[in-house]
């Protein structure tokens, strides 16, 4: 028996989740020698990805349907994660290897494949190189990159950015793209790809350090801090006087409203998320009155699920090749906001929902052994 | 000189246009022997199409941009029409022939091709058959159909319905489609095509006669009269308990809101129009708070312009062939609401905006001679 700490979903939040009330770290006994179901794995948690869509799983399973099932109460929350196999009942995953998938946010867990891999991305990592390098006292990297990158630019987040920008955004040289939450996990990747495609790139962020980051480090053409008093409509009229061709929406609400009012004819709105609205009760959500733009500007506005077989997976190989190349040559920045230790997970999650993270939110629980 | 009555745009409306104030019939002298610019036509107005998008042209040209230019004040309003050429300065259009295009809503006008044909559909009609039949005392039809059908099911309206249902709606057998303004010019065609494709078809209408029409004559599976107290959300939950796969939106507002709440995963919203919102000032438009469905149900929502080269024209040949065949075998209904005489045009237009028309709104000004 070992002690196993996990991030447990405790109570349905009506608004912003509160640490200790709606989610909390709980320690449970864990039997490392327990039997594993056929096809399953007993794993050690290494890194976990904290993403806005997870807020949508903290809901009443009876009243709201969505693309991912609701989290069950009093169970560990699950997330995209990198784990190391301790004991395997699945010939595809040897003990010691590092696996990418959906796992409990915990120090240890048993994953019943394929039930746990309910949103498989088709990506696993051979840990041999990593373990060998670490054993030799070298850099703890896999394929030359930080292991955590497999949760960000080389993981679901990066594939989300890559596939949706091309599939829905259809960027064309000379166009203007506006990206909300531009320093965030997805926004920073979208913006850098859009720059490579020759677009004028404008971003909104929630503090001045992020503004400096997107302009100075990511090469955005312009941006603004939406907490500084200027309305999104004022900012877009100032920074995109020729109008917006693509709006990459991570936040919804007032910024979506402003984007709708500044879209050019034939514009596209990639609806990746609406994080400003997730914690609001239905009647308090921002009222959008400008959808007439869809008619007058013949705009396409589309949500997506990166794991749809005809969405993200279509771009997986191309994403892996191109982004690996950009990482190797140092021409793409991947900023992560790593919190350390399982105990940091609840606060890191709530902070991520509030936009306090600076870069992709990741929790590091352990190094592989 | 002859007297020429035309429908003139008089004043920018802030809400619902009022006959006599914002638009009116005016009589002007017209010189039938006037010189015509090269490529132009002097024409007699026969039929004109009254469509919701025209409300969008009654706007301040300086403050709002759109896909069609604003109507200039104190000039005749223009619309899709069928005209007969009286005098031609264009070798493509002989005197006597009937031409489809954008023309002034007037008894007579001079059209400076191509300026007048700013939204060409690429469709003209050889009037020989028509004129010969009429001269012989036969039925006044062209190619076996009513001439006015070239403004409805065989015109822009029919192409709008056909191309957008297939291009954006992507109907699949067994799916459920909800069509607002279902007895209207576009809705009636969309519904009948959807039935042929094996969908469950549900429509909303504004009176009981229209409800009987869509269910009994068009073969819709179900419908409701939205003026009878049941909310759109209640009606959709009752009539589409399995959810809506395609929402064909002609009205916007509360019905769009309800559709967003009942969309199935992967649903499509064809944004053809939002007539319930056109006459409202910006701050009084219906507040949509349910766009989160675009994320959670990964819905595609798209406006369009039928005349975009890669939209309607792609479907023109197929539409012409299939709908002509259905008309010939009597398997498609095309209900028109024809008002007679140029004097009827202003009221017919305002009534159409209020949903008082029952079928495609058309003004008949004259028979060809």
């Amino acid at each position: 028996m070992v002690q196993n700490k996990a991030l447990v979903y405790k109570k349905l939040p009506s608004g912003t989740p509160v640490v200790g009330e709606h989610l909390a770290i709980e320690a449970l006994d864990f039997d490392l020698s327990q039997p594993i179901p056929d096809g399953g794995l007993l794993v050690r948690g290494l890194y976990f990805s904290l993403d806005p869509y997870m807020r949508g799983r903290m809901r009443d399973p009876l009243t709201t349907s969505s693309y991912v099932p609701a989290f069950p109460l009093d169970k560990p929350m699950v997330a995209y994660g990198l784990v190391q196999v301790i004991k395997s009942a699945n010939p595809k995953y040897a003990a010691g290897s590092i696996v990418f998938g959906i796992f409990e946010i915990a120090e240890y867990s048993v994953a019943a494949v394929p039930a746990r891999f309910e949103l498989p991305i088709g990506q696993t990592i051979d840990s041999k190189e990593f373990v060998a390098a670490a054993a030799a006292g070298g850099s703890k990297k896999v394929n030359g990159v930080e292991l955590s990158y497999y949760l960000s630019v080389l993981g679901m987040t990066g594939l989300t950015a890559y596939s949706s920008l091309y599939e829905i955004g259809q960027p064309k040289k000379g166009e203007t793209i506006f990206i909300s939450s531009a320093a965030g996990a997805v926004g920073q990747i979208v913006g850098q790809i859009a720059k490579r495609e020759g677009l004028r790139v404008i971003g909104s962020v929630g503090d001045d350090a992020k503004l400096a980051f997107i302009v100075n480090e990511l090469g955005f053409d312009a941006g603004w801090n939406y907490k500084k008093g200027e309305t999104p409509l004022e900012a877009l009229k100032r920074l995109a006087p020729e109008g917006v061709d693509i709006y990459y929406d991570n936040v919804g609400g007032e910024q979506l409203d402003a984007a709708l009012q500044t879209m050019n004819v034939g514009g596209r709105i990639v609806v990746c998320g609406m994080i400003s609205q997730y914690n609001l009760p239905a009647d308090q959500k921002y009222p959008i009155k400008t959808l007439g733009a869809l008619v007058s500007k013949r705009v396409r506005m589309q949500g997506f699920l990166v794991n749809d077989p005809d969405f993200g997976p279509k771009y997986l190989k191309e994403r892996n090749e191109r982004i690996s190349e950009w990482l190797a040559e140092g021409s793409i920045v991947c900023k992560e906001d790593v919190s350390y230790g399982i105990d940091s997970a609840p606060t890191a999650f709530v902070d991520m929902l509030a936009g306090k993270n600076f870069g992709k939110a990741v929790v590091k629980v352990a190094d592989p052994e």
Side-chain angles (χ1 to χ4, degrees), chain A:
Chain A
M1 286 288 176
V2 294
Q3 193 202 52
N4 179 28
K5 285 186 181 175
L7 175 59
V8 176
Y9 174 44
K10 297 302 292 173
K11 188 181 163 190
L12 182 71
S14 63
T16 305
V18 175
V19 175
E21 183 180 355
H22 304 104
L23 70 172
I25 294 294
E26 295 193 347
L28 300 156
D29 287 339
F30 188 83
D31 182 0
L32 284 170
S33 63
Q34 66 184 276
I36 319 166
D38 251 19
L41 305 171
L42 190 150
V43 302
R44 169 188 295 114
L46 303 178
Y47 287 88
F48 294 97
S49 177
L50 302 178
D51 298 292
Y53 81 90
M54 295 165 65
R55 175 63 182 84
R57 302 189 69 170
M58 303 175 86
R59 66 171 192 272
D60 181 348
L62 295 179
T63 55
T64 323
S65 66
S66 182
Y67 57 90
V68 280
F71 286 138
L73 285 169
D74 291 318
K75 301 279 184 191
M77 293 166 63
V78 298
Y80 287 97
L82 294 160
V83 300
Q84 186 171 30
V85 179
I86 296 176
K87 222 167 89 180
S88 175
N90 188 317
K92 283 175 65 183
Y93 306 97
S97 65
I98 299 171
V99 179
F100 170 83
I102 300 270
F103 295 95
E104 290 178 2
I105 302 175
E107 292 173 297
Y108 300 97
S109 65
V110 171
V113 178
R116 277 295 165 210
F117 299 165
E118 56 198 340
L119 293 173
I121 250 331
Q123 202 172 37
T124 62
I125 299 164
D126 182 350
S127 70
K128 288 194 193 80
E129 186 185 336
F130 181 99
V131 174
S139 161
K140 294 202 172 190
K141 292 185 173 183
V142 172
N143 303 324
V145 302
E146 299 295 331
L147 186 54
S148 54
Y149 281 16
Y150 286 93
L151 292 184
S152 55
V153 68
L154 287 170
M156 184 273 285
T157 306
L159 189 62
T160 295
Y162 194 97
S163 59
S164 61
L165 176 61
Y166 285 105
E167 181 78 13
I168 303 174
Q170 301 176 2
K172 288 167 201 70
K173 190 174 175 178
E175 288 188 332
T176 296
I177 186 171
F178 159 46
I179 303 163
S180 54
S181 193
V186 173
Q188 60 175 290
I189 309 299
V190 171
Q192 291 178 88
I193 300 173
K195 277 311 298 175
R196 287 175 177 270
E197 295 287 350
L199 280 76
R200 176 171 163 79
V201 180
I202 292 161
S204 68
V205 294
D207 70 43
D208 287 344
K210 292 178 183 176
L211 182 56
F213 169 68
I214 65 169
V215 172
N216 300 334
E217 291 185 53
L218 302 186
F220 278 46
D221 295 283
W224 84 95
N225 177 348
Y226 72 88
K227 290 181 179 166
K228 281 245 170 138
E230 192 179 28
T231 69
L233 189 57
E234 288 165 350
L236 282 177
K237 286 187 168 174
R238 176 171 64 85
L239 299 174
E242 308 285 303
V244 170
D245 299 294
I246 305 173
Y247 171 42
Y248 197 97
D249 190 13
N250 288 303
V251 304
E254 192 181 4
Q255 296 194 46
L256 169 59
D257 193 23
L260 280 162
Q261 293 174 70
T262 53
M263 292 306 287
N264 288 328
V265 166
R268 289 82 68 196
I269 300 179
V270 187
V271 186
C272 181
M274 297 190 178
I275 199 168
S276 74
Q277 306 296 300
Y278 294 161
N279 285 325
L280 300 175
D283 61 338
Q284 285 171 36
K285 291 188 195 290
Y286 186 93
I288 300 276
K289 300 182 178 183
T290 49
L291 286 171
L294 300 189
V295 182
S296 62
K297 305 296 178 62
R298 47 189 193 277
V299 167
R300 176 180 180 181
M301 185 172 178
Q302 186 174 345
F304 62 96
L305 179 61
V306 66
N307 296 306
D308 262 340
D310 61 351
F311 204 91
K314 280 201 310 191
Y315 293 88
L316 185 61
K317 185 166 174 288
E318 180 182 310
R319 186 283 303 261
N320 288 347
E321 288 170 2
R322 293 184 75 196
I323 290 193
S324 295
E325 183 189 320
W326 300 340
L327 284 169
E329 68 190 25
S331 69
I332 188 169
V333 174
C334 175
K335 188 166 182 69
E336 297 181 323
D337 189 334
V338 183
S339 65
Y340 293 92
I342 185 78
D343 289 327
S344 73
T347 299
F349 179 74
V350 172
D351 283 355
M352 178 274 301
L353 289 181
K356 292 184 185 165
N357 56 309
F358 189 171
K360 171 78 190 88
V362 171
V363 177
K364 179 174 181 177
V365 174
D367 270 319
E369 291 181 357

